[in-house]
Amino acid sequence: MAFHLRFGIIGIDHNHILGMARGMVEAGAELVGWTTSSATPLKMLQDFGEAFPETPMLEEAELLEDESIQLILTAAINSERADVALKAMRHGKDVLVDKPGCTTHRQLEDLRACAHETRRRWLVSFSERVSVESATLADRLIAEGRIGTVVQTVGLGPHRLNAPLRPTWFWDRAKTGGILTDICAHQFDQFLHFTGSTEARIVSASIGNVANPGRPDFQDFGEVLLEGNGGRGYARVDWLTPDGLPTWGDGRMTILGTEGYIELRKYIDIAGEDGKDHVFLVDKAGVQRFQASGEGTPFFSRLAADIETRAETAMTQAHAFLATELALTAQAIAEKAQQNG
């Protein structure tokens, strides 16, 4: 019998779930049903209903106990994602979690133990890489040897705050995990991926509130210096994108190699060409500009195949755990430094 992947969704509190679900459907998987909490904003419920109008809303127990469902997706409130994942794995299902995969070291320890015990996969959808065609093109250019050996990454992750549109939990540090745990999770993933590092440590980390005095506990700026066994990295994230930018953030990634470098301008090329997924390569031959549209985002189809074969072509379990551990550790280091101020 041919393998047919069926999946369910528990928690749609962040709109990343739309891209995650579409990615799996486009990979040939069937969305069986979904559920979420009573705290999910009406706008999110409407957007999800419009995207998947024929998919029924079910009880959580129905999704967990349906043995034909092999995969659970979740974009619940950040602090609740670990609980969803633990339940799913204990019901024999693999899990794809929106970033951040969890918000505390204790949750991470529980997830590690559960994945080991159940032999289920716990993976994180780091959308700033796995859902971005310019990152796919960068993978190909690096594999072709165009910039030599990668030695460093510089990742920039600015975001627009959109304060009036944010749910109450967005302002709660305990629920979000903090800026380095949350939006900087993307940068830890990309650092490990592009440098090929399987071991890494936080050299330094800092956080701050530079533009939101009315919310003194909110973190709107963060930066991290990293060292891995495949290279070094720097990351800066913030909630400072000005309203004049015609997209939510000017996300960029520069990958430095021994023979050249690549810059990804993922979502916009300010004062340049229209569109997104712009890639620049500089080497001894000169400067090249690529438009990555059409390169695809193979993560989801690879994940679907991995669920059947138990291979790790989409993302290794070790990678998901290490990227998450780095995010949690950086957050802890930065908060301790801030307290000692």
Side-chain angles (χ1 to χ4, degrees):
M1 180 182 295
F3 176 76
H4 178 61
L5 176 61
R6 288 163 57 87
F7 73 99
I9 296 173
I10 300 176
I12 62 166
D13 292 283
H14 196 293
N15 62 12
H16 283 166
I17 196 64
L18 299 174
M20 294 164 64
R22 288 191 186 105
M24 294 311 305
V25 169
E26 290 171 2
E30 177 187 356
L31 176 54
V32 177
W34 64 279
T35 189
T36 194
S37 74
S38 59
T40 302
L42 177 60
K43 178 65 164 59
M44 192 60 237
L45 293 170
Q46 293 173 335
D47 289 348
F48 189 87
E50 290 175 4
F52 302 98
E54 299 181 3
T55 303
M57 186 176 185
L58 304 174
E59 294 295 324
E60 179 180 294
E62 293 181 85
L63 296 170
L64 292 173
E65 293 168 10
D66 186 339
E67 294 183 357
S68 74
I69 293 176
Q70 301 106 325
L71 175 69
I72 291 292
L73 272 55
T74 183
I77 293 171
N78 296 4
S79 59
E80 298 174 6
R81 293 173 186 174
D83 184 58
V84 172
L86 291 168
K87 289 178 184 177
M89 287 191 284
R90 287 168 182 155
H91 279 81
K93 305 180 192 312
D94 294 319
V95 184
L96 180 64
V97 187
D98 183 22
K99 69 80 217 158
C102 62
T103 55
T104 70
H105 277 97
R106 177 56 187 270
Q107 288 179 346
L108 182 60
E109 290 171 7
D110 289 345
L111 289 163
R112 276 189 165 126
C114 188
H116 177 75
E117 175 187 346
T118 62
R119 297 186 181 277
R120 294 296 94 193
R121 299 281 171 75
W122 176 85
L123 301 179
V124 182
S125 179
F126 298 108
S127 58
E128 291 187 21
R129 177 176 64 87
V130 304
S131 298
V132 173
E133 289 186 292
S134 54
T136 305
L137 176 56
D139 281 340
R140 177 165 65 82
L141 294 173
I142 292 168
E144 291 172 356
R146 297 292 299 274
I147 61 169
T149 302
V150 174
V151 297
Q152 190 214 30
T153 63
V154 174
L156 306 180
H159 289 61
R160 177 174 289 126
L161 188 58
N162 282 330
L165 304 180
R166 298 295 178 177
T168 302
W169 65 265
F170 176 83
W171 309 104
D172 187 336
R173 157 65 181 83
K175 293 185 181 296
T176 66
I179 191 169
L180 298 183
T181 294
D182 185 11
I183 58 175
C184 204
H186 294 295
Q187 306 305 326
F188 296 113
D189 161 71
Q190 291 172 95
F191 162 74
L192 294 175
H193 177 78
F194 288 123
T195 66
S197 292
T198 55
E199 300 174 6
R201 70 181 184 93
I202 306 298
V203 178
S204 66
S206 64
I207 54 174
N209 180 326
V210 299
N212 289 274
R215 299 184 185 273
D217 294 330
F218 183 64
Q219 302 161 6
D220 58 19
F221 179 88
E223 60 181 352
V224 180
L225 186 63
L226 294 145
E227 181 179 54
N229 59 350
R232 294 178 67 87
Y234 170 80
R236 189 207 81 211
V237 293
D238 62 72
W239 289 104
L240 305 175
T241 292
D243 290 342
L245 191 75
T247 188
W248 59 267
D250 185 10
R252 300 192 184 197
M253 168 61 60
T254 299
I255 307 163
L256 176 66
T258 54
E259 298 177 21
Y261 66 91
I262 296 169
E263 182 185 2
L264 315 183
R265 299 183 186 177
K266 300 177 184 180
Y267 310 111
I268 189 170
D269 179 18
I270 57 172
E273 294 186 2
D274 292 338
K276 59 182 183 177
D277 284 308
H278 306 274
V279 177
F280 300 85
L281 183 147
V282 183
D283 62 10
K284 62 183 179 182
V287 179
Q288 283 185 271
R289 180 186 188 121
F290 302 84
Q291 219 301 320
S293 178
E295 287 290 325
T297 53
F299 170 81
F300 297 99
S301 59
R302 289 174 181 170
L303 175 58
D306 288 348
I307 290 173
E308 177 184 14
T309 65
R310 311 315 290 170
E312 292 188 306
T313 64
M315 179 183 296
T316 68
Q317 183 63 93
H319 175 98
F321 281 141
L322 180 55
T324 303
E325 181 180 7
L326 289 169
L328 294 169
T329 301
Q331 185 71 39
I333 290 171
E335 290 185 345
K336 182 176 180 180
Q338 187 180 57
Q339 290 167 5
N340 294 338

